[in-house]
Each structure stands twice: as structure tokens, then as C-alpha cells.
Amino acid sequence: WETQKRNNLHRVGDNKLLTSAGNALLMLDLDSKEQEFLLGIDVGGIGAITVHPSGDYFAVGERQLDGAPNVYIYAFPSLKLVSVLKNGTERSFSDLRFSNDGEMLATVGSMPDYLLHIWDWKNEAVTLRAKAFSQEVFNVLFSPRFDGTLYTSGTGHIRFWKMADTFTGLKLQGEIGKFGAIELSDISCFVELKDGKVVTGSEGGNLLLWDGGLVKVEIKRQGGGTCHDGMIEMLWQHGEQIVSAGIDGFLRFWDYSSLDNAEPEDDEPHCHVEPVKEYKIVQEGAEGGIAKVKTMHLDTAGRYKEWLVQDDAGGLWRINTADLSSIKVMDFHAGPIVGSDTSPVGPFVATAGADGTVRLHNIDDKHTLYSHSFPQPCTCLQWAPPVVDQSATTVIVGFKDGVVRILQQLRDCWHLQHVIKPHTQSVTATAFSRDGKYLAICAPDNLLWLQSVALDQKGI
């Protein structure tokens, strides 16, 4: 599924994961790995999804190529459509969130309007409406403690909202957070403290403590190091600690009172705090890198005793909340699959992704056999026919930088046979002549490259 999309990982029922891919909603059984799909109704794909606090409903905000998309609310597990919310945005929804009591639904539109709506979703009626911001909004959230309070955040901003009674009725009033002396930052996550302060992440990797719509202090580590290496994507309260998770693959646990009472040091807008403990999301005894956290299912009620991690690099992790042991349960392409082809002789499929990986899959047992990562995004893939290679183990892969790599399928890995660079732009297609003696390669640079093909003991 789309592992590079925020807020795209939810849980319904006892053991089903809810996510989206393209124009479909995916329900995945975490034990059997069986998949169930619910196709979108509009024609532009799925923009955002969320689950009702009771677990009895989920909402799907779609995209639309021509006209306004809708929000569709389904009952679970019957998948019966119970409500349709119309005219909430012009092109796509970027985030949805139910209120804590489940009576209201907040939706945020993507470009070009970025509209925030508060819905009485059962009656399919708009309660309040306002423009959220002038750039992309990543998140919308109802305050867990203060009625009538909401938060939105995204590109270069966080905004604090109140549902206020005025002379002309109930209105949404939003205060844009002021960074002051701190460098402007995208904000992907935030957590509300008991006294109303807010802690947010930043793209620079530090934590920001907000009070009254202003950054009170930037929190760094001792020695001036950042809290995380890169964007902080998740923040939540776990007992008497605040936990942060970043694209660097670390979970760091911070003392609640140390963050709540943080003060600037020596007339500087920052202070230094060390985490109580930290944990790297990596599978012990297994090859492969650490998880690049994009979003998580946090199990705040303690029902499942585990956290689910959506890996920006393509994958799903399960973390046991008791001992913080982790295991990678799924591994797949991050981003679009740009090419695929079947083996002429065996039950195999080769796929190439925009993430630069080429993977081999067994169709019979529905298992990925192995993968190799390259430094450039893939753009196309073709399995060489038997007239070229009688063993049918050769795969041709084109790349964004104009390079073509010839790979050979081995038992446990891809073997790189040849590398050529016929183009200066993305390779868009490859094709063999009918007799297998020539390989044609094309690209947007208006050149058609013809490569002679020969077969020896080492292959093509």
C-alpha cells in the first residue's frame, strides 16, 4: 500500500489492518495476510481514511479528477455505506478525524482550497467551515481534553482552533502558531499536554514546546545534537512519558515533566534534554535496514499490546509494547510500481519500483523471494524471452538516469550482468526484436537506441 502517505495505518476489528492503495481500501488480516479490497466510488483514488472511536465505522475521503470528491462512511464489519458527505473540498482530502465522542467528523481538503469542515456526519450536514491554511495540511485532530478545541498542522505551520460562540452564532476561530526566533518548519505531529501546552516535532529533528500559540522553547539534546536525525513523524503520550518517532528509525522516550517545564537557557530560544531511553526499530538477527517511521497505529487503549509501524521505505513492523521487541512482518515497494513482467518458464514475477528496488516474487506461494536496491528510481522492466535466453533468467531494467541494467535470476539474488547508458533521460521502454538479436531502448530525449545482443556462457 501507500507507505509514504501519512495517517494511512488504522486497525479495525480484532486483527485487521485498514489502509489504502490507489483507488482501493485494503483490509489486511495481520495473521493470515489475507487481503480484502473495497474499491473507491469516485475516480481519483483514496485521499485519506480514519476509524470511528467505537470501531463500528470508518470514513474514506476520496479524490476526484473532475468535480468535488465525497467522504463515504461505512459500517464495519458489514461494509454498508451509511453516510455520504458532499462538497467538502474541490479535489482531494488530506486528512479526516472523528471527535472523541464520535459525533463529529473533521475533514481537511488538499490543494487548491485547503478547507476545514466540521460535520454532523450522521445527518450529512456541515456544522462549521473555515480555510485551514494556504498550504498543505497533514493533520487535523480534536483535543482529547478540551471540548471545542482542534489542531491542524502541515507545511510551515501549526494552527490552534476554537469553536467559539459569537453574536452571529458558532464559528471556527483559528490562531496560527508563531515560531518567533525558531526557524520555520513543517510540522507532521503534535501531542497535547495536560495544561494545554503542545509539543510538536519539526523537520530539523528537534521538539518544539508551544504555549499560547507561541514557541516557548526548542528542545535539543545535550551537546547541541538534535532529538532525531531528520523529520519527527510521530508524538504520543505513553504513561508518564512522551514518545517520539522519526524517519531515522528511533523511538525516544522523554520525561513528561522535563518537556512540560522546559525553559529557554542563557537567553537562547532552546534548552537541552536527554531522553530517558531510546529504541531502534530493527529486527534482531535479520538483514536489512531500520524502519523509517512514516505513521503508526498506537493502541492508546492498550487493547492489542502492540504498536504497528508503517515504514516509509516499504513495509510493516509490529512492536511489542511490553519489551519493545520488533519484527518486520511485510516488505514491499515504497511508492509506485513502475514495471512488472512474468517469467516465461516459471511461477515468478519480477517488479521494479520508483524506490529503486527490483524484486522477485513466487506466484504459487505468494512470497517475495529477494530484492535488490539500486541508487536510481526504476522506470521500466522486461523479462527477456526464450529466443534471447533459453534459460529465461534474464531481466532488463530501465532507470531514471538513462541507465539500463541487465540482471540474471539466481537462486537467492539478482546477479548484475551488464550496465549500459544509452540515454541521458529516463528510459521509458525496452523491446527485443523477434529474432532476439537486437534490443531497442527509448527515452524522452527523442533517441531510439538499438543494442546488439549476443549470448555466451555467462549469459546475455
Side-chain angles (χ1 to χ4, degrees):
W1 64 85
E2 297 179 56
T3 59
Q4 296 173 336
K5 182 194 288 187
R6 293 182 174 92
N7 303 319
N8 197 37
L9 190 69
H10 301 272
R11 204 161 181 169
V12 290
D14 291 330
N15 213 30
K16 280 197 174 181
L17 180 147
L18 182 71
T19 184
S20 67
N23 194 40
L25 201 71
L26 167 64
M27 284 164 280
L28 172 73
D29 189 292
L30 288 168
D31 291 329
S32 68
K33 303 301 186 294
E34 291 183 358
Q35 300 179 13
E36 182 180 359
F37 292 91
L38 179 65
L39 294 180
I41 297 175
D42 298 334
V43 297
I46 306 298
I49 58 176
T50 193
V51 175
H52 191 272
S54 68
D56 295 333
Y57 305 93
F58 61 85
V60 182
E62 301 206 12
R63 300 185 181 120
Q64 183 66 279
L65 300 177
D66 184 19
N70 299 322
V71 177
Y72 300 96
I73 300 177
Y74 298 87
F76 182 83
S78 69
L79 304 185
K80 178 183 177 181
L81 182 62
V82 295
S83 293
V84 180
L85 312 181
K86 299 180 179 180
N87 299 316
T89 188
E90 292 184 34
R91 290 289 179 267
S92 175
F93 290 95
S94 60
D95 197 24
L96 318 171
R97 206 67 58 96
F98 283 100
S99 59
N100 302 304
D101 61 6
E103 294 300 312
M104 295 182 288
L105 176 69
T107 67
V108 178
S110 188
M111 66 177 300
D113 56 278
Y114 308 109
L115 286 176
L116 168 64
H117 282 76
I118 309 298
W119 302 82
D120 174 2
W121 63 271
K122 291 180 181 178
N123 294 313
E124 302 180 348
V126 175
T127 303
L128 294 167
R129 166 180 166 169
K131 187 176 179 68
F133 199 60
S134 57
Q135 297 185 72
E136 197 66 30
V137 180
F138 304 154
N139 300 292
V140 59
L141 179 71
F142 287 90
S143 165
R145 296 179 177 88
F146 307 106
D147 292 339
T149 298
L150 297 93
Y151 306 97
T152 56
S153 73
T155 303
H157 80 283
I158 182 171
R159 197 161 189 178
F160 308 89
W161 296 89
K162 297 281 188 184
M163 297 183 197
D165 281 314
T166 67
F167 291 111
T168 56
L170 191 64
K171 291 195 175 178
L172 267 177
Q173 297 178 344
E175 178 185 7
I176 297 177
K178 297 177 176 61
F179 285 84
I182 304 301
E183 184 178 354
L184 196 71
S185 171
D186 295 349
I187 294 179
S188 179
C189 58
F190 48 84
V191 59
E192 180 189 82
L193 304 184
K194 298 174 184 177
D195 56 6
K197 297 190 190 79
V198 173
V199 177
T200 73
S202 68
E203 59 185 309
N206 284 326
L207 299 173
L208 305 177
L209 178 64
W210 297 76
D211 191 6
L214 302 170
V215 173
K216 180 181 179 181
V217 63
E218 181 181 21
I219 299 168
K220 300 181 177 182
R221 298 187 69 173
Q222 297 292 345
T226 57
C227 299
H228 285 272
D229 184 12
M231 189 78 162
I232 299 176
E233 293 286 356
M234 295 294 299
L235 273 171
W236 70 99
Q237 184 174 348
H238 180 61
E240 291 303 313
Q241 296 173 333
I242 300 295
V243 189
S244 60
I247 203 74
D248 59 359
F250 278 89
L251 299 181
R252 291 198 167 99
F253 295 74
W254 309 85
D255 179 68
Y256 183 99
S257 60
S258 296
L259 299 188
D260 190 17
N261 300 317
E263 296 286 345
E265 298 174 353
D266 301 325
D267 297 325
E268 295 291 335
H270 55 256
C271 70
H272 300 88
V273 178
E274 279 297 298
V276 176
K277 60 182 177 180
E278 66 178 29
Y279 171 73
K280 182 189 292 187
I281 307 174
V282 63
Q283 187 168 335
E284 296 295 335
E287 297 182 0
I290 61 175
K292 296 182 177 180
V293 179
K294 192 63 177 183
T295 194
M296 298 176 63
H297 179 269
L298 296 175
D299 186 28
T300 53
R303 176 181 177 185
Y304 304 104
K305 311 301 181 186
E306 67 176 358
W307 297 325
L308 301 179
V309 178
Q310 178 178 294
D311 191 341
D312 185 78
L316 176 70
W317 296 73
R318 301 175 85 162
I319 300 177
N320 187 307
T321 56
D323 59 9
L324 296 182
S325 60
S326 62
I327 183 172
K328 192 172 189 179
V329 293
M330 297 188 72
D331 184 28
F332 40 81
H333 287 289
I337 297 174
V338 296
S340 65
D341 204 356
T342 55
S343 167
V345 296
F348 306 111
V349 172
T351 59
D355 58 357
T357 62
V358 181
R359 300 170 185 258
L360 183 68
H361 315 272
N362 187 303
I363 301 173
D364 288 344
D365 63 9
K366 300 178 182 178
H367 181 67
T368 300
L369 299 175
Y370 51 77
S371 170
H372 189 85
S373 180
F374 294 96
Q376 286 288 325
C378 305
T379 53
C380 60
L381 179 146
Q382 180 188 13
W383 207 300
V387 69
V388 176
D389 173 15
Q390 290 185 354
S391 67
T393 59
T394 301
V395 172
I396 314 298
V397 185
F399 291 83
K400 189 175 182 179
D401 58 356
V403 167
V404 172
R405 290 179 171 89
I406 293 89
L407 308 179
Q408 184 180 25
Q409 173 195 356
L410 299 182
R411 182 181 296 274
D412 56 0
C413 68
W414 292 114
H415 171 65
L416 181 61
Q417 288 184 285
H418 291 290
V419 180
I420 58 176
K421 194 176 190 307
H423 295 281
T424 58
Q425 298 181 31
S426 298
V427 176
T428 53
T430 63
F432 286 96
S433 60
R434 191 170 298 177
D435 58 9
K437 294 182 178 180
Y438 297 96
L439 172 65
I441 308 167
C442 62
D445 56 9
N446 296 325
L447 295 177
L448 178 64
W449 180 278
L450 293 176
Q451 178 78 40
S452 60
V453 178
L455 189 67
D456 59 22
Q457 295 179 347
K458 296 181 180 180
I460 286 183

